[in-house]
Amino acid sequence: MALAEAILVCLTERPMSGYDLAKYFDASIGFFWRSSHQQIYRELGKLREKGYVSSQEVEQDGKPNRITHTVTPEGRAALYEWSKRPSRHPSIKDEMFVKFYALDSIDMEAFEDQLTNRMEYHKTRLSQYLRIKERFYDGKTLNLNQQGKLIALEMGIDGERQNIRQIEDAIIKTGGLERS
Amino acid sequence: MALAEAILVCLTERPMSGYDLAKYFDASIGFFWRSSHQQIYRELGKLREKGYVSSQEVEQDGKPNRITHTVTPEGRAALYEWSKRPSRHPSIKDEMFVKFYALDSIDMEAFEDQLTNRMEYHKTRLSQYLRIKERFYDGKTLNLNQQGKLIALEMGIDGERQNIRQIEDAIIKTGGLERS
DNA sequence: AAACACTATGCAACAAATTGCATAATTTCA
DNA sequence: TGAAATTATGCAATTTGTTGCATAGTGTTT
């Protein structure tokens, strides 16, 4: 259950509201641990119950009030304990590969469209990563935290480049099969 | 919900029992869609209810009876319809990356052990894939179905090689940070 | 002879994730 | 001026995934 920890990691950086967290997930840590706002709000409730975060309501004029959440010392301790426990291997679930396992039972034309779509997705990802790298990391002096994030980001960049190459390849191979 | 479809894909190849499926998942399609035997048995029940598979009890001497499952024409049709619907992008959940996001809040020594462990995991995967390729695909004449699987397998091989390189790299970079 | 691994199936409880909905105000675009 | 997007929060229902357990016979190892 690393959603709780992913949230704690974000809040270690600065206190945030559920809404902030949801956006931060969409643009940053969520590249490696996807989560919806509903899940985040629910998890925040659990973290508050456990005493790992404390919540403060902030009055706002006009907009609805926001509730910001701060990591408590107990939360920090829990995060440190979690960091010592072995990381689970990532769970892999990819429909696309399942379809590769059944080329003789599927609609190949439709599948090739899906491959193209998947390549677009990886290209979008890659350019997001590159933009983030350029904006926040290139030519800057980085502290330990930032260096860690940069390592993750560079792995992401590398990974996406490979994904793009792989799918290009797969499209060519798959196209060849149809005509045989 | 591609577990149902992953099961149908397997059963398209040949009728299998839940136990067979669980083993097949562990050694083959599960590389891209992991699932436990409990989940498989539950899903088989649902597929039977929907009429996508039919089940036959087979008497065995000594061993407990096995129940083999066969895809029905409705099941095949459902699989074909599913293949036309867009594939979801893979859901990414990787604790390791979350830890990279918090290098200043974690136990770095423990984390480096985890990285080493992760590299072993990818090396094991790679050698599994290579063994499968050698045994079932190299130097063989392949039909469409097998060619699809080979494409998936080769993507897996490529991916694991990259993973190994990436983590090697990350270990070096992370080690460097500690001493600064 | 006892312990363990393998074949074979599945329930029950729980945790996590997804989907759909709901509210309510403000800003921005057409 | 009306519609749509954004900010902000969250409940409820359902599905999916995990963990622990239970049963029961056979074969293999110590």
Side-chain angles (χ1 to χ4, degrees):
Chain A
M1 206 239 339
L3 174 57
E5 285 84 7
I7 290 174
L8 289 175
V9 165
C10 298
L11 296 180
T12 298
E13 226 169 305
R14 60 185 166 87
M16 289 190 224
S17 68
Y19 187 78
D20 291 337
L21 278 165
K23 278 201 302 179
Y24 190 79
F25 265 74
D26 278 348
S28 179
I29 201 169
F31 291 138
F32 310 113
W33 196 279
R34 178 132 298 289
S35 201
S36 66
H37 72 100
Q38 290 93 334
Q39 239 190 304
I40 289 167
Y41 280 111
R42 194 173 25 180
E43 200 65 40
L44 278 170
K46 286 187 203 167
L47 287 169
R48 195 167 41 230
E49 264 178 54
K50 282 189 191 166
Y52 292 170
V53 304
S54 70
S55 311
Q56 301 83 36
E57 194 159 356
V58 180
E59 298 274 327
Q60 287 193 132
D61 44 323
K63 293 175 199 168
N65 291 350
R66 28 188 358 258
I67 299 163
T68 57
H69 309 273
T70 315
V71 190
T72 61
E74 292 78 34
R76 274 169 208 277
L79 192 58
Y80 191 75
E81 286 312 305
W82 165 76
S83 83
K84 289 193 280 190
R85 289 198 294 275
S87 299
R88 291 210 183 158
H89 300 139
S91 84
I92 304 155
K93 305 232 154 173
D94 196 332
E95 285 192 62
M96 205 188 69
F97 282 104
V98 177
K99 289 179 185 176
F100 270 116
Y101 260 66
L103 285 193
D104 55 356
S105 306
I106 67 167
D107 182 329
M108 285 271 273
E109 261 121 301
F111 183 50
E112 281 186 84
D113 289 347
Q114 292 166 36
L115 289 176
T116 307
N117 177 271
R118 174 66 78 88
M119 196 163 63
E120 290 310 316
Y121 164 77
H122 288 300
K123 282 182 177 170
T124 306
R125 278 289 181 117
L126 176 60
S127 64
Q128 280 176 73
Y129 292 167
L130 288 172
R131 204 164 51 246
I132 292 167
K133 191 181 174 221
E134 203 185 330
R135 253 209 264 179
F136 300 110
Y137 298 96
D138 280 348
K140 303 249 158 70
T141 308
L142 304 176
N143 61 29
L144 181 60
N145 182 275
Q146 292 166 322
Q147 286 177 68
K149 286 184 191 166
L150 179 58
I151 291 171
L153 189 59
E154 283 174 340
M155 283 199 256
I157 289 169
D158 239 49
E160 294 303 348
R161 289 206 169 115
Q162 163 120 344
N163 286 333
I164 293 163
R165 273 197 305 274
Q166 280 195 342
I167 295 174
E168 257 168 13
D169 243 53
I171 288 173
I172 294 166
K173 285 184 191 169
T174 312
L177 297 181
E178 268 178 312
R179 278 180 296 282
S180 62
Chain B
M1 204 238 339
L3 173 56
E5 284 83 9
I7 290 174
L8 289 176
V9 165
C10 298
L11 295 181
T12 298
E13 225 169 307
R14 59 184 166 90
M16 286 190 225
S17 69
Y19 187 79
D20 291 336
L21 278 164
K23 279 201 302 179
Y24 191 77
F25 265 74
D26 278 349
S28 179
I29 202 169
F31 291 138
F32 311 113
W33 196 281
R34 178 132 298 290
S35 202
S36 65
H37 73 100
Q38 290 93 335
Q39 240 190 304
I40 289 167
Y41 280 111
R42 192 173 35 180
E43 201 63 42
L44 278 171
K46 287 186 201 168
L47 287 170
R48 196 167 40 229
E49 265 177 53
K50 283 190 191 165
Y52 291 171
V53 304
S54 70
S55 310
Q56 300 82 36
E57 195 159 356
V58 178
E59 298 277 327
Q60 288 194 132
D61 45 320
K63 294 176 198 169
N65 291 350
R66 30 191 352 260
I67 299 163
T68 56
H69 309 273
T70 314
V71 190
T72 62
E74 293 77 35
R76 272 169 208 278
L79 191 59
Y80 191 74
E81 285 312 306
W82 165 76
S83 83
K84 289 195 280 190
R85 290 198 293 275
S87 299
R88 291 209 183 158
H89 300 139
S91 85
I92 304 154
K93 305 232 153 172
D94 196 333
E95 285 190 62
M96 204 190 69
F97 281 103
V98 177
K99 289 180 184 174
F100 271 116
Y101 261 66
L103 284 192
D104 55 356
S105 304
I106 67 167
D107 182 330
M108 284 271 271
E109 261 122 302
F111 183 51
E112 282 187 83
D113 289 347
Q114 292 166 36
L115 289 176
T116 306
N117 177 270
R118 176 66 78 91
M119 196 162 63
E120 291 309 316
Y121 164 77
H122 288 300
K123 282 182 177 170
T124 306
R125 277 289 182 118
L126 176 60
S127 63
Q128 279 175 74
Y129 293 166
L130 288 172
R131 203 164 51 246
I132 292 167
K133 190 179 175 224
E134 203 185 331
R135 252 208 265 179
F136 299 109
Y137 299 94
D138 281 349
K140 302 249 159 73
T141 308
L142 304 176
N143 61 28
L144 181 59
N145 181 273
Q146 291 166 323
Q147 286 177 67
K149 286 185 190 165
L150 179 58
I151 291 171
L153 188 60
E154 281 173 343
M155 283 199 256
I157 289 169
D158 239 50
E160 293 305 348
R161 289 208 168 110
Q162 164 120 343
N163 285 333
I164 293 164
R165 274 197 305 274
Q166 280 195 342
I167 296 174
E168 257 167 15
D169 242 55
I171 289 172
I172 293 165
K173 286 184 189 169
T174 312
L177 298 180
E178 269 178 310
R179 280 180 294 282
S180 64

